[in-house]
Amino acid sequence: MVSTVGIALGAVLTLVAVALHYSKGTGWETNDDISQEVLEKRAATVPETEFPEPMNRSIGGGGVAAGAVAGGSEGELAEGEEAEDDGFDPDAIPDDEIETYEIEFAKEGETIEIANNENILDIGEDQGWDLPYACREGSCLSCAGHIEEGPAEEYIRHSNNDTLNEEEMENGYCLTCTAYPTADFTLETGEQP
């Protein structure tokens, strides 16, 4: 059956193999950890954003305006020329100049009052409506809406508008995330030019 000599011989061979392994080594070394280097290279290829939230709830996603991608476009500023700021600061409106307007949300079937220092998207969400948006910066079309009565400039002011051009504004489109009312109107949310 099992002999003592066989067990002893097996133990001796095992000890010799272990001794040779530790005295000589296998020559194998672990690879350098390059995970941080890979992450840094990947991060360098992604443009920086200032999105205030990590999730994009919009359907179809946001994006940049077509002219913003190509360099040397018609709207680019000449050297030394200052950018014209079409936006305004709603927090700078004095308390005695705050006015409220009745805004009818056509798809939601309700009319609510919104002050001229209140953001249309934020107040709509306060009503419990799941309105589309992505950047909340006026840099995409995810939150776009359509004012039925006419040109958007007659009914709202944008604190920032990097996306809509003059023709689209003339056709009644606005960005609800940066739009503040200046008159009563009917708004169709989720409508893009």
Side-chain angles (χ1 to χ4, degrees):
M1 301 254 172
V2 178
S3 71
T4 310
V5 175
I7 293 176
L9 186 58
V12 168
L13 288 175
T14 303
L15 288 173
V16 169
V18 169
L20 286 174
H21 172 75
Y22 282 107
S23 66
K24 188 165 125 180
T26 62
W28 180 81
E29 293 181 20
T30 60
N31 294 329
D32 293 335
D33 183 15
I34 62 167
S35 59
Q36 187 62 35
E37 182 182 333
V38 170
L39 287 175
E40 289 171 2
K41 283 183 180 179
R42 292 177 85 186
T45 64
V46 177
E48 289 291 323
T49 63
E50 295 180 8
F51 290 170
E53 53 197 63
M55 301 301 290
N56 182 345
R57 293 183 358 170
S58 70
I59 298 172
V64 295
V69 175
S73 63
E74 184 179 305
E76 196 170 286
L77 296 174
E79 191 172 321
E81 188 178 348
E82 289 188 31
E84 182 180 317
D85 185 14
D86 293 334
F88 79 105
D89 182 10
D91 296 329
I93 299 175
D95 290 342
D96 60 339
E97 293 181 19
I98 294 176
E99 299 178 26
T100 58
Y101 301 99
E102 290 189 0
I103 311 304
E104 178 186 352
F105 285 75
K107 291 181 179 177
E108 288 74 18
E110 288 190 42
T111 300
I112 60 174
E113 288 189 352
I114 301 178
N116 59 348
N117 67 344
E118 293 178 320
N119 175 282
I120 293 174
L121 175 63
D122 290 342
I123 301 303
E125 288 183 325
D126 289 348
Q127 296 293 314
W129 302 328
D130 188 23
L131 302 176
Y133 72 88
C135 71
R136 289 187 182 269
E137 300 280 330
S139 298
C140 72
L141 284 174
S142 299
C143 69
H146 184 255
I147 298 172
E148 296 179 356
E149 285 80 2
E153 290 126 350
E154 295 179 13
Y155 298 95
I156 57 102
R157 289 178 71 185
H158 284 119
S159 61
N160 186 37
N161 174 12
D162 293 334
T163 306
L164 296 175
N165 61 35
E166 289 180 29
E167 181 182 350
E168 292 165 339
M169 295 275 294
E170 186 68 31
N171 291 331
Y173 290 98
C174 70
L175 303 174
T176 61
C177 72
T178 60
Y180 296 81
T182 58
D184 297 340
F185 61 89
T186 301
L187 176 70
E188 289 186 56
T189 56
E191 295 293 322
Q192 299 178 358

